[in-house]
Amino acid sequence: MNAYHPACCSPLDDHDPLPRPLAGTQLISTRFDPALVTEDDFARCGIAPVRGVAKRQAEYLAGRLCAREALRRVTGEPCVPAVGEDRAPQWPPGVVGSITHGDNWAAALVAPDTQWRALGMDVERLLPADRALRLQGEILTPAEVQRLQALDDEARAARISLTFSLKESLFKALYPLTLTRFYFHDAEVLELDQDSARLRLLIDLHVDWRSGAELDGQFVLFEGKVLSLVAVAA
């Protein structure tokens, strides 16, 4: 296995911050600093380079390093997921996974496909109240907006940020199963408690995933971020 570790990424961490780690999964994370990424980091890590500004390069490199280590722990083979034509990671046969990055933090989650059909994980920086309120109409359905009426601005902003992340996780879980794109108003968060959520589709995506289908999600708040996960059991 490639022993080089770039200075732009902290040592890989196998702590799973989610409230209910899933059986058979491996979560690996790292922190990254775009200011420290160098031109030869990709070659020295054995990872195909990606075009873009330093932030894009650092987050991609960090996510792939996490994915490679998670795959090594699950399968014994430290491979790097390729990028598909739809920009989604291409996982090797026998496993499912998800990669996320945000606010200089990246993580990958991998599991055998005998236990999980799909995994969708997303991290987001919590939105400031003013920005969250400006974006709520783009992220929330009218019914979701109505449910927030009793909350103050800070609580509403947190709920909007959480809903954004959960819907991103839902998309990342269902897109590989349906190959159908959908958007924020095509699903809703029905229920939320301290660290779990219930989501419902509002459109038909596939013969197996029709309007009204419901899925559970979970989430954790840490360091001004929200990390969410939606998983489909095998």
Side-chain angles (χ1 to χ4, degrees):
M1 182 177 175
N2 193 308
Y4 175 75
H5 190 80
C8 63
C9 295
S10 68
L12 299 181
D13 188 348
D14 62 3
H15 169 66
D16 189 335
L18 288 162
R20 288 175 297 283
L22 303 180
T25 61
Q26 184 69 57
L27 191 152
I28 301 293
S29 66
T30 184
R31 302 177 192 280
F32 61 88
D33 183 349
L36 298 179
V37 68
T38 66
E39 289 184 9
D40 63 347
D41 277 341
F42 283 89
R44 296 185 68 183
C45 288
I47 295 175
V50 63
R51 288 186 175 184
V53 299
K55 177 179 180 294
R56 171 63 181 144
Q57 292 179 338
E59 65 190 17
Y60 181 88
L61 181 62
R64 258 49 187 190
L65 287 172
C66 292
R68 181 167 65 188
E69 176 61 13
L71 282 165
R72 185 190 71 80
R73 296 192 184 202
V74 171
T75 70
E77 297 293 330
C79 62
V80 178
V83 180
E85 291 184 5
D86 56 6
R87 311 304 299 165
Q90 303 299 294
W91 299 98
V95 298
V96 293
S98 187
I99 300 173
T100 190
H101 42 70
D103 196 37
N104 291 1
W105 186 85
L109 183 69
V110 172
D113 65 5
T114 53
Q115 291 179 273
W116 301 97
R117 290 180 62 200
L119 300 172
M121 183 173 65
D122 179 75
V123 66
E124 300 290 340
R125 181 76 182 171
L126 291 173
L127 293 166
D130 57 345
R131 185 156 186 256
L133 295 176
R134 287 200 307 271
L135 293 175
Q136 70 174 0
E138 299 176 31
I139 299 168
L140 274 58
T141 65
E144 288 173 322
V145 172
Q146 186 63 35
R147 294 180 200 128
L148 303 190
Q149 294 305 310
L151 301 180
D152 62 32
D153 285 355
E154 292 297 326
R156 185 179 299 187
R159 182 71 62 85
I160 293 166
S161 301
L162 175 56
T163 300
F164 183 100
S165 183
L166 284 164
K167 289 185 180 183
E168 287 285 340
S169 289
L170 180 69
F171 176 85
K172 292 166 80 170
L174 294 186
Y175 177 75
L177 300 179
T178 65
L179 297 180
T180 301
R181 295 194 174 276
F182 60 100
Y183 304 94
F184 289 115
H185 287 181
D186 297 331
E188 65 177 341
V189 175
L190 291 175
E191 302 170 15
L192 275 177
D193 64 21
Q194 182 174 322
D195 56 23
S196 64
R198 186 78 172 166
L199 297 99
R200 178 166 62 195
L201 282 177
L202 300 177
I203 63 167
D204 294 339
L205 297 178
H206 182 272
V207 64
D208 295 329
W209 295 98
R210 297 191 180 278
S211 178
E214 296 184 10
L215 276 168
D216 291 322
Q218 58 172 299
F219 60 90
V220 62
L221 302 177
F222 70 106
E223 298 174 0
K225 293 182 278 289
V226 55
L227 176 69
S228 66
L229 172 66
V230 173
V232 181

